[in-house]
Amino acid sequence: MRAARETPAAALPPAPGAEQYLALDFADSAYVLPGGHFIDLLGTPESTNRWLAERGLAPADAGVQEMCATQLRVLREHVRALFAARVARQPVLPAALSAVNDALSRTSTAALLLWDEMSGPYRAAVCPPNEILDRALATLAADAADLLTGSDADFLTTCDSVPCNRYLIRHGRRHWCSTRCGDRVRAARAYARAKSKVD
């Protein structure tokens, strides 16, 4: 498998449900493309910082270091393990459950009440730079827990297009994470039908 830390040209649109669940977007931040290309949007500290900033989990200038990127990648694998267990209706790995619960307990997620002299009161989650990672981990873990325990959990599934490894929330009959994957499945089916007529 050829690895790519991040290739914007190969970036897929968010899978169905990723707009609702940040944890789904998080789980899908590493994926496989045809030809064995592996894309990891958290593959470097810089790409991790960009991913977090684009989702409001860290300031653009947070200066994420490799240790923080690694912690996020580890949590992502545990979230993916929980999603896989839910989709397959299999027992959960205790280590995955423990990792998510550990992330949940890292920090309070309550937004503080702040006051701006011009616009008045507002709420915001304010934390010093050393707590940015803890807050991001807790937010992602909480969203994963919400997805796994909510009504959409029954619609959580994997993309039916091989080799894609992304998760999505299935609504209707669609079982693909993107048009690209759906086109690939339809093309493979058409090819198989044409080939069976020839044989």
Side-chain angles (χ1 to χ4, degrees):
M1 183 180 298
R2 283 171 279 174
R5 291 292 189 155
E6 177 184 20
T7 307
L12 292 174
E19 312 82 31
Q20 295 169 266
Y21 295 100
L22 186 57
L24 190 62
D25 191 30
F26 178 54
D28 289 345
S29 63
Y31 53 92
V32 180
L33 293 172
H37 296 282
F38 177 75
I39 306 298
D40 188 351
L41 301 178
L42 306 178
T44 67
E46 296 78 19
S47 63
T48 301
N49 201 141
R50 185 170 40 258
W51 190 90
L52 290 170
E54 288 170 356
R55 286 146 186 88
L57 295 172
D61 62 351
V64 171
Q65 300 297 309
E66 180 57 37
M67 182 182 75
C68 298
T70 298
Q71 287 182 56
L72 282 158
R73 289 190 298 266
V74 168
L75 179 63
R76 178 181 62 198
E77 292 313 306
H78 287 302
V79 167
R80 288 185 61 80
L82 292 174
F83 285 2
R86 179 67 171 96
V87 168
R89 307 287 197 259
Q90 296 291 322
V92 70
L93 294 172
L97 194 58
S98 178
V100 168
N101 282 328
D102 178 59
L104 279 168
S105 65
R106 282 186 175 228
T107 184
S108 167
T109 56
L112 300 176
L113 177 63
L114 303 173
W115 206 280
D116 182 275
E117 290 185 26
M118 299 291 282
S119 59
Y122 66 98
R123 296 201 55 194
V126 178
C127 62
N130 63 337
E131 291 180 13
I132 290 172
L133 177 66
D134 286 345
R135 187 168 300 278
L137 290 168
T139 300
L140 292 164
D143 196 66
D146 289 343
L147 172 54
L148 289 166
T149 59
S151 59
D152 282 329
D154 289 336
F155 302 102
L156 180 66
T157 190
T158 55
C159 183
D160 278 353
S161 178
V162 177
C164 187
N165 63 336
R166 296 200 322 160
Y167 288 92
L168 63 129
I169 301 295
R170 182 188 70 248
H171 292 291
R173 297 179 350 151
R174 180 177 170 179
H175 287 228
W176 310 297
C177 71
S178 67
T179 303
R180 181 189 294 181
C181 282
D183 289 347
R184 195 166 46 247
V185 168
R186 285 188 286 274
R189 286 178 185 163
Y191 176 77
R193 280 192 301 271
K195 187 172 170 67
S196 70
K197 288 179 183 178
V198 172
D199 294 338

